[in-house]
Amino acid sequence: MIHITLGARRYINPQEDQLGRSIVGFDPVMNDDALFHANRGCWVLGERAEKERYALLSHEGEVRMAIEIDSLVPVAGGRKAIEGRYLTSGHEVYDAYVGKPTPVETTRNPITYFDSPLGARTCYCGCGESVASGWFVIGHDQRALHARISKIGTVREFIDWFDSTYVEATGE
């Protein structure tokens, strides 16, 4: 799970912000919608972030919001923004973390990661097993890949098929 530590609310120039925001950070008078939109990006997120399904926003040692991540979208400067939705009472991740002390030690870096038993997803290969982090149970990515290769034929036939059908973007 991604954990993001927020500072106090501060004003920024919307013409200089990649998301056009005028404020970032936490203010107790912000509603959930304002808190989400002010703080969904622009973050320096590591490779692990791509495998995470949820993010928590904390301020002064307390979790203030839980977010379900649909995707991480690139913004200027190699940073990323979260696309998704904030969770509400009744969702297991919200109920376990929001309004409670942060689940990680605070560091200078506002971005930290931790393993949570909550919000596991089902293995993307289709086996039905639960995955706490990432998309596949260990080794199941290969299982899924080879199942698809076998629908084409041999590995060589798959490569021939792929090379003849895949069109690389030219960037024009």
Side-chain angles (χ1 to χ4, degrees):
M1 197 171 290
I2 303 171
H3 176 263
I4 302 172
T5 302
L6 304 175
R9 180 181 74 176
R10 64 184 172 87
Y11 293 93
I12 59 175
N13 184 340
Q15 282 80 33
E16 295 175 4
D17 181 70
Q18 294 98 333
L19 299 175
R21 301 169 297 172
S22 59
I23 58 168
V24 295
F26 178 79
D27 187 322
V29 302
M30 296 171 93
N31 65 24
D32 286 343
D33 197 49
L35 182 63
F36 175 75
H37 289 289
N39 296 293
R40 68 181 195 87
C42 305
W43 301 105
V44 177
L45 298 171
E47 187 176 323
R48 178 172 174 178
E50 296 293 337
K51 299 176 183 177
E52 300 297 338
R53 187 173 177 191
Y54 298 99
L56 302 177
L57 303 180
S58 295
H59 177 70
E60 294 185 343
E62 182 181 328
V63 176
R64 308 301 178 135
M65 176 172 279
I67 300 169
E68 184 170 13
I69 301 168
D70 289 335
S71 64
L72 301 174
V73 294
V75 292
R79 295 174 180 265
K80 295 181 181 175
I82 298 170
E83 298 227 333
R85 71 205 52 75
Y86 56 85
L87 303 175
T88 58
S89 180
H91 189 284
E92 69 174 336
V93 172
Y94 178 97
D95 294 344
Y97 295 108
V98 176
K100 297 179 174 75
T102 58
V104 296
E105 295 289 325
T106 56
T107 65
R108 279 184 57 165
N109 189 342
I111 307 294
T112 52
Y113 301 90
F114 70 100
D115 293 326
S116 172
L118 302 177
R121 61 171 52 112
T122 303
C123 182
Y124 204 67
C125 82
C127 70
E129 290 187 45
S130 184
V131 181
S133 179
W135 292 96
F136 297 94
V137 170
I138 293 174
H140 287 211
D141 55 342
Q142 292 298 310
R143 176 189 292 180
L145 181 61
H146 286 282
R148 284 153 180 82
I149 289 171
S150 70
K151 291 181 183 195
I152 299 297
T154 66
V155 172
R156 185 194 58 77
E157 291 169 325
F158 177 82
I159 291 171
D160 289 344
W161 169 81
F162 182 87
D163 289 346
S164 69
T165 57
Y166 179 72
V167 178
E168 191 166 347
T170 61
E172 295 177 5

